[in-house]
Amino acid sequence: MNEQSIRSAIDQHWAASASGDQFAEHEIYHDDAVCEYPQSGEVIHGRHNLQALRSHHPGKPSGFKVRRIVGQDHLWVTEYIITYQGKRAFTVSIMEFRDGKVAHETQYFADPFDAPAWRSQWVEVRT
């Protein structure tokens, strides 16, 4: 699968995730895909388990915004923001492809924080 096809598959994946289409969201994964959440120590084995886990999330996202997607060959990274129950989570997804499907994904989730005043002379604060 070429990079244009992989990028198209990623775009479809995130669009399906944003719309809550659990079937289309998980078409991108190999049946034996592994997904890791390093912050909680969880490892999800298999597309079926990943889809089941996400389908049972108690708080459906009320917002979903892709900030950027970068990648080449078999390694792709997406930065995005998910809003759950009014709270934003800044998220990074690292996808490793094998034969055109995701074989391994690692996701990192971070809560927003206020910019400290001592840095104000060197930074621009975006909301």
Side-chain angles (χ1 to χ4, degrees):
M1 182 178 249
N2 64 34
E3 289 179 359
Q4 186 176 14
S5 297
I6 289 175
R7 175 58 193 255
S8 178
I10 292 171
D11 289 340
Q12 291 171 18
H13 166 74
W14 295 124
S17 183
S19 71
D21 184 341
Q22 290 294 318
F23 179 77
E25 177 183 357
H26 294 87
E27 287 182 343
I28 198 170
Y29 297 99
H30 272 286
D31 287 341
D32 65 349
V34 173
C35 183
E36 295 185 58
Y37 297 163
Q39 290 165 287
S40 65
E42 296 168 293
V43 180
I44 302 102
H45 295 274
R47 178 177 61 182
H48 176 76
N49 287 331
L50 185 58
Q51 184 173 351
L53 178 146
R54 290 177 176 162
S55 296
H56 288 89
H57 194 290
K60 301 294 181 200
S62 61
F64 191 98
K65 180 183 176 189
V66 173
R67 297 188 66 203
R68 72 178 175 148
I69 299 171
V70 294
Q72 67 181 49
D73 298 328
H74 73 283
L75 187 61
W76 290 78
V77 177
T78 304
E79 292 179 54
Y80 58 102
I81 302 168
I82 303 174
T83 304
Y84 289 108
Q85 301 172 337
K87 184 177 177 185
R88 295 182 301 165
F90 292 83
T91 309
V92 174
S93 165
I94 303 168
M95 293 179 166
E96 299 173 55
F97 283 77
R98 180 183 78 231
D99 303 324
K101 293 215 180 244
V102 175
H104 188 270
E105 180 178 27
T106 303
Q107 290 188 319
Y108 296 93
F109 304 90
D111 292 332
F113 58 88
D114 292 329
W118 68 265
R119 298 195 297 222
S120 65
Q121 66 182 342
W122 300 293
V123 304
E124 170 190 356
V125 178
R126 296 180 180 176
T127 56

PDB file of all heavy atoms in Angstrom, residues 38-53:
ATOM      1  N   PRO A  38       0.317   3.538  27.194  1.00  0.00           N
ATOM      2  CA  PRO A  38       1.417   3.515  28.171  1.00  0.00           C
ATOM      3  C   PRO A  38       1.107   4.185  29.502  1.00  0.00           C
ATOM      4  O   PRO A  38       1.600   3.748  30.536  1.00  0.00           O
ATOM      5  CB  PRO A  38       2.553   4.251  27.450  1.00  0.00           C
ATOM      6  CG  PRO A  38       2.252   4.078  26.006  1.00  0.00           C
ATOM      7  CD  PRO A  38       0.756   4.094  25.910  1.00  0.00           C
ATOM      8  N   GLN A  39       0.270   5.219  29.505  1.00  0.00           N
ATOM      9  CA  GLN A  39       0.010   5.933  30.753  1.00  0.00           C
ATOM     10  C   GLN A  39      -0.754   5.080  31.762  1.00  0.00           C
ATOM     11  O   GLN A  39      -0.586   5.250  32.961  1.00  0.00           O
ATOM     12  CB  GLN A  39      -0.736   7.232  30.470  1.00  0.00           C
ATOM     13  CG  GLN A  39       0.159   8.238  29.764  1.00  0.00           C
ATOM     14  CD  GLN A  39      -0.629   9.369  29.149  1.00  0.00           C
ATOM     15  OE1 GLN A  39      -1.300   9.191  28.151  1.00  0.00           O
ATOM     16  NE2 GLN A  39      -0.539  10.521  29.760  1.00  0.00           N
ATOM     17  N   SER A  40      -1.574   4.160  31.274  1.00  0.00           N
ATOM     18  CA  SER A  40      -2.319   3.283  32.187  1.00  0.00           C
ATOM     19  C   SER A  40      -1.697   1.890  32.264  1.00  0.00           C
ATOM     20  O   SER A  40      -2.102   1.082  33.093  1.00  0.00           O
ATOM     21  CB  SER A  40      -3.775   3.153  31.739  1.00  0.00           C
ATOM     22  OG  SER A  40      -3.846   2.488  30.483  1.00  0.00           O
ATOM     23  N   GLY A  41      -0.742   1.596  31.375  1.00  0.00           N
ATOM     24  CA  GLY A  41      -0.120   0.282  31.347  1.00  0.00           C
ATOM     25  C   GLY A  41      -0.932  -0.769  30.613  1.00  0.00           C
ATOM     26  O   GLY A  41      -0.576  -1.942  30.614  1.00  0.00           O
ATOM     27  N   GLU A  42      -2.030  -0.358  29.955  1.00  0.00           N
ATOM     28  CA  GLU A  42      -2.902  -1.321  29.279  1.00  0.00           C
ATOM     29  C   GLU A  42      -2.384  -1.674  27.888  1.00  0.00           C
ATOM     30  O   GLU A  42      -1.860  -0.814  27.174  1.00  0.00           O
ATOM     31  CB  GLU A  42      -4.311  -0.742  29.133  1.00  0.00           C
ATOM     32  CG  GLU A  42      -4.998  -0.506  30.462  1.00  0.00           C
ATOM     33  CD  GLU A  42      -6.245   0.317  30.304  1.00  0.00           C
ATOM     34  OE1 GLU A  42      -6.119   1.513  29.951  1.00  0.00           O
ATOM     35  OE2 GLU A  42      -7.345  -0.226  30.524  1.00  0.00           O
ATOM     36  N   VAL A  43      -2.573  -2.928  27.523  1.00  0.00           N
ATOM     37  CA  VAL A  43      -2.278  -3.425  26.186  1.00  0.00           C
ATOM     38  C   VAL A  43      -3.521  -4.162  25.705  1.00  0.00           C
ATOM     39  O   VAL A  43      -4.019  -5.062  26.385  1.00  0.00           O
ATOM     40  CB  VAL A  43      -1.057  -4.377  26.173  1.00  0.00           C
ATOM     41  CG1 VAL A  43      -0.785  -4.885  24.768  1.00  0.00           C
ATOM     42  CG2 VAL A  43       0.171  -3.686  26.750  1.00  0.00           C
ATOM     43  N   ILE A  44      -4.024  -3.764  24.538  1.00  0.00           N
ATOM     44  CA  ILE A  44      -5.216  -4.389  23.982  1.00  0.00           C
ATOM     45  C   ILE A  44      -4.775  -5.261  22.818  1.00  0.00           C
ATOM     46  O   ILE A  44      -4.125  -4.776  21.887  1.00  0.00           O
ATOM     47  CB  ILE A  44      -6.241  -3.337  23.509  1.00  0.00           C
ATOM     48  CG1 ILE A  44      -6.631  -2.414  24.677  1.00  0.00           C
ATOM     49  CG2 ILE A  44      -7.480  -4.007  22.951  1.00  0.00           C
ATOM     50  CD1 ILE A  44      -5.956  -1.081  24.646  1.00  0.00           C
ATOM     51  N   HIS A  45      -5.106  -6.535  22.876  1.00  0.00           N
ATOM     52  CA  HIS A  45      -4.718  -7.486  21.840  1.00  0.00           C
ATOM     53  C   HIS A  45      -5.898  -7.776  20.926  1.00  0.00           C
ATOM     54  O   HIS A  45      -6.939  -8.259  21.385  1.00  0.00           O
ATOM     55  CB  HIS A  45      -4.217  -8.797  22.456  1.00  0.00           C
ATOM     56  CG  HIS A  45      -2.959  -8.630  23.248  1.00  0.00           C
ATOM     57  ND1 HIS A  45      -1.712  -8.674  22.672  1.00  0.00           N
ATOM     58  CD2 HIS A  45      -2.772  -8.395  24.564  1.00  0.00           C
ATOM     59  CE1 HIS A  45      -0.798  -8.487  23.604  1.00  0.00           C
ATOM     60  NE2 HIS A  45      -1.409  -8.315  24.767  1.00  0.00           N
ATOM     61  N   GLY A  46      -5.737  -7.480  19.643  1.00  0.00           N
ATOM     62  CA  GLY A  46      -6.742  -7.842  18.652  1.00  0.00           C
ATOM     63  C   GLY A  46      -7.739  -6.735  18.349  1.00  0.00           C
ATOM     64  O   GLY A  46      -8.162  -5.992  19.237  1.00  0.00           O
ATOM     65  N   ARG A  47      -8.092  -6.647  17.071  1.00  0.00           N
ATOM     66  CA  ARG A  47      -9.058  -5.650  16.619  1.00  0.00           C
ATOM     67  C   ARG A  47     -10.397  -5.814  17.342  1.00  0.00           C
ATOM     68  O   ARG A  47     -11.019  -4.837  17.732  1.00  0.00           O
ATOM     69  CB  ARG A  47      -9.263  -5.749  15.108  1.00  0.00           C
ATOM     70  CG  ARG A  47     -10.298  -4.754  14.590  1.00  0.00           C
ATOM     71  CD  ARG A  47     -10.443  -4.790  13.114  1.00  0.00           C
ATOM     72  NE  ARG A  47     -10.884  -6.111  12.693  1.00  0.00           N
ATOM     73  CZ  ARG A  47     -11.056  -6.452  11.428  1.00  0.00           C
ATOM     74  NH1 ARG A  47     -10.806  -5.595  10.467  1.00  0.00           N
ATOM     75  NH2 ARG A  47     -11.472  -7.658  11.116  1.00  0.00           N
ATOM     76  N   HIS A  48     -10.842  -7.036  17.530  1.00  0.00           N
ATOM     77  CA  HIS A  48     -12.128  -7.276  18.179  1.00  0.00           C
ATOM     78  C   HIS A  48     -12.157  -6.686  19.591  1.00  0.00           C
ATOM     79  O   HIS A  48     -13.122  -6.028  19.988  1.00  0.00           O
ATOM     80  CB  HIS A  48     -12.431  -8.777  18.212  1.00  0.00           C
ATOM     81  CG  HIS A  48     -13.690  -9.119  18.934  1.00  0.00           C
ATOM     82  ND1 HIS A  48     -14.941  -8.913  18.385  1.00  0.00           N
ATOM     83  CD2 HIS A  48     -13.897  -9.612  20.172  1.00  0.00           C
ATOM     84  CE1 HIS A  48     -15.857  -9.270  19.254  1.00  0.00           C
ATOM     85  NE2 HIS A  48     -15.255  -9.710  20.351  1.00  0.00           N
ATOM     86  N   ASN A  49     -11.109  -6.906  20.367  1.00  0.00           N
ATOM     87  CA  ASN A  49     -11.049  -6.376  21.732  1.00  0.00           C
ATOM     88  C   ASN A  49     -10.959  -4.850  21.732  1.00  0.00           C
ATOM     89  O   ASN A  49     -11.575  -4.195  22.573  1.00  0.00           O
ATOM     90  CB  ASN A  49      -9.873  -6.968  22.497  1.00  0.00           C
ATOM     91  CG  ASN A  49     -10.103  -8.399  22.880  1.00  0.00           C
ATOM     92  OD1 ASN A  49     -11.237  -8.830  23.072  1.00  0.00           O
ATOM     93  ND2 ASN A  49      -9.026  -9.162  22.979  1.00  0.00           N
ATOM     94  N   LEU A  50     -10.216  -4.298  20.800  1.00  0.00           N
ATOM     95  CA  LEU A  50     -10.092  -2.848  20.713  1.00  0.00           C
ATOM     96  C   LEU A  50     -11.444  -2.202  20.389  1.00  0.00           C
ATOM     97  O   LEU A  50     -11.853  -1.226  21.012  1.00  0.00           O
ATOM     98  CB  LEU A  50      -9.049  -2.471  19.663  1.00  0.00           C
ATOM     99  CG  LEU A  50      -8.709  -0.995  19.523  1.00  0.00           C
ATOM    100  CD1 LEU A  50      -8.214  -0.417  20.845  1.00  0.00           C
ATOM    101  CD2 LEU A  50      -7.658  -0.813  18.430  1.00  0.00           C
ATOM    102  N   GLN A  51     -12.148  -2.790  19.436  1.00  0.00           N
ATOM    103  CA  GLN A  51     -13.467  -2.271  19.068  1.00  0.00           C
ATOM    104  C   GLN A  51     -14.441  -2.421  20.235  1.00  0.00           C
ATOM    105  O   GLN A  51     -15.214  -1.501  20.524  1.00  0.00           O
ATOM    106  CB  GLN A  51     -13.996  -2.987  17.843  1.00  0.00           C
ATOM    107  CG  GLN A  51     -15.323  -2.431  17.357  1.00  0.00           C
ATOM    108  CD  GLN A  51     -15.761  -3.043  16.032  1.00  0.00           C
ATOM    109  OE1 GLN A  51     -15.011  -3.758  15.386  1.00  0.00           O
ATOM    110  NE2 GLN A  51     -16.979  -2.754  15.644  1.00  0.00           N
ATOM    111  N   ALA A  52     -14.409  -3.539  20.917  1.00  0.00           N
ATOM    112  CA  ALA A  52     -15.304  -3.753  22.056  1.00  0.00           C
ATOM    113  C   ALA A  52     -15.010  -2.746  23.165  1.00  0.00           C
ATOM    114  O   ALA A  52     -15.934  -2.152  23.731  1.00  0.00           O
ATOM    115  CB  ALA A  52     -15.164  -5.178  22.578  1.00  0.00           C
ATOM    116  N   LEU A  53     -13.731  -2.530  23.470  1.00  0.00           N
ATOM    117  CA  LEU A  53     -13.347  -1.576  24.498  1.00  0.00           C
ATOM    118  C   LEU A  53     -13.872  -0.186  24.149  1.00  0.00           C
ATOM    119  O   LEU A  53     -14.514   0.476  24.961  1.00  0.00           O
ATOM    120  CB  LEU A  53     -11.818  -1.551  24.621  1.00  0.00           C
ATOM    121  CG  LEU A  53     -11.212  -0.580  25.615  1.00  0.00           C
ATOM    122  CD1 LEU A  53      -9.962  -1.194  26.207  1.00  0.00           C
ATOM    123  CD2 LEU A  53     -10.875   0.741  24.950  1.00  0.00           C
TER     124      LEU A  53
END
